[in-house]
Amino acid sequence: MNDTLVRAMSKDGMVKATAVYTRALTERARQIHHTSPVATAALGRALAGVSMMGNALKDNGASVTMQIKGDGPLGTILAVSDAEGNVRGYVQDASVELPLRADGKLDVGSAVGHSGTLTVIKDLGLKEPYVGTVDLLGGEIAEDLTAYYAYSEQVPTVMALGVLVDKDLSILCAGGFMVQLLPGATDAEIDQLEKNIAAMPSVTTMLHEGKTPEDMMQLALAGFEPNVLDERDVDYQCDCSAERTKEMLFSLGRKELVKMRDEDPNCEVVCHFCHSKYQYDLNDLIAEYDAQAAENK
């Protein structure tokens, strides 16, 4: 099964749902960052969640960034999605190992931390991005995102995320679903939705059994006659480039570039998201910086 994102709306337009399968992109993130199983699970959940959030933006060029700063050993988790649902991300300490929980599952909550903050930054191409921050509820990520929607956007939401790591550390399956009630939903619809979701197995159980994102959505919206609005492939994509990295260095200003050159004229910049390396001669960069400054006078 390809990494796929599906969006649907109930027939009466009161409930919308998104579901995503992200095994390959989570495996790509694991290989880039050499994550431990618990770090893989945390980053994989964040990537699946932010993919669904990003795809909801609709605007080309828009992006959403999710930053989780918990008091657990993983440190900061950063995940970014474009408006298509393509993602990139990293975790501060990818090597963290923790004992399994009593139920035999990876202890993502303890790795992330039970207190801290979840911040969502939506860049819609306006002057100022939208920023919303909530306190972490427990570090399991899906519940924390549910709380973010309730408090920051006042949208009743259910988010479920899961990553299943195989014995050889590769990804067996990964993904999630998100269901949101729109203004005007009736008590009967809310009750029906709660019953549907309570009856669903975990995300990893469903995906491991071979269910698709559309299957998950049909279960969540049983009785609502959902119409599929959109289905698309999603991927792990980094937008770094030699040119963008050079612009970032220029943004530091001439004084900082000279200071860096005096320490070492050879500069290497490594991308956090994909570990691509870019090398620059700072003498050449300063000459180019000065030439641009002269042109702009």
Side-chain angles (χ1 to χ4, degrees), residues 151-215:
Y151 297 121
S152 278
E153 299 197 10
Q154 286 79 51
V155 180
T157 301
V158 174
M159 176 89 77
L161 303 166
V163 175
L164 194 58
V165 180
D166 207 347
K167 289 186 176 65
D168 67 358
L169 308 187
S170 68
I171 308 303
L172 271 172
C173 58
F177 68 85
M178 175 169 74
V179 179
Q180 295 184 309
L181 284 167
L182 300 177
T186 64
D187 288 345
E189 286 175 316
I190 294 166
D191 289 345
Q192 175 70 49
L193 203 55
E194 285 176 347
K195 279 181 190 156
N196 289 354
I197 288 163
M200 290 172 74
S202 72
V203 166
T204 48
T205 298
M206 290 188 285
L207 294 176
H208 197 39
E209 288 172 352
K211 287 192 167 51
T212 64
E214 189 167 343
D215 293 335

Side-chain angles (χ1 to χ4, degrees), residues 74-90:
L74 287 178
T76 299
I77 300 170
L78 197 72
V80 184
S81 175
D82 63 16
E84 307 284 309
N86 298 308
V87 295
R88 59 192 188 275
Y90 67 87

